[in-house]
Amino acid sequence: MKNLSFEHLPQYCFSANRQFEKNECHMERTYKLSVLLLVRRGVLRFSENGVPIEVSAGEYYIQCAGLHQQGPVPSDSPNYYFIHFKGDFCKAGALPIRGKFKIDKIQPIISKMELLGDAGERLEYEALFYELLCALKRQLPEKSTPEKLRAYILEHFAEELSLDGLMRVSLLSKNQTINIFRDAYGTTPHQFLIDFRLKKAGELILATNIPINEICFRIGFTEYSGFYKAFSKKYGVSPQEYRRRTSAAALPENVYFIP
């Protein structure tokens, strides 16, 4: 099951309350946006690409963009708040597409969004939307072992990480640690670490003037040659050429340098 990713922040589009009439069915559509549903009363029933979905009071569900939705059976007079948004989804995302929520924790945020009305600024809606997503994430059960491993790698990526260290987090054997991580994220812990370090390197090369050999050691590589080879393979150019090309591409038109 895919999860909502926070790597690129979701973009708020529109939100409102919805109350179904008795025996009302969900509409049929293939919608271009994703929709977060927060059911407060009753039961909402629909299908996505033919798969039946049922969302009860105290549950949230994210209808992912592009899926064909139908209402083959009536819903049980659900009352819910919905938010249309644009977002990215992946297996290793931060928020599952369905889960439970405590109405007393979420309703105050919804009420703030309702009070904004038509006069609300886009930024105000965005801020409350992110507050709501963070509140939903805080209510998730304790992290699974793969999630703990991923969080540990992200927190300590610039340090010297070893499989023995990851085993102390997972409390499993070497093979078990590698296998459960691969099953969850489609890659080994080592490759995930390297990919994340290279991503950070790319960001630092673009956003700063830090010398590239210094960036290499800041992100956890112990040898420049290994960093250079891995970076060139991932980005298709050397770190120096990556900085030169992206810097040149960012220059506005009609800018001239006087030698």
Side-chain angles (χ1 to χ4, degrees), residues 111-169:
S111 297
K112 291 178 184 178
M113 297 181 81
E114 293 174 318
L115 286 173
L116 287 177
D118 295 336
E121 297 285 346
R122 173 67 177 268
L123 181 63
E124 294 176 292
Y125 276 108
E126 291 276 6
L128 290 172
F129 179 42
Y130 298 146
E131 181 181 347
L132 192 151
L133 291 176
C134 289
L136 291 176
K137 188 175 185 299
R138 284 194 295 269
Q139 294 181 31
L140 294 176
E142 184 180 354
K143 289 181 178 178
S144 66
T145 299
E147 290 173 326
K148 289 179 181 178
L149 289 168
R150 180 179 184 273
Y152 183 82
I153 292 172
L154 294 181
E155 183 177 353
H156 301 279
F157 76 92
E159 304 169 17
E160 185 176 349
L161 291 180
S162 67
L163 187 53
D164 287 338
L166 295 179
M167 288 167 56
R168 288 192 288 272
V169 176

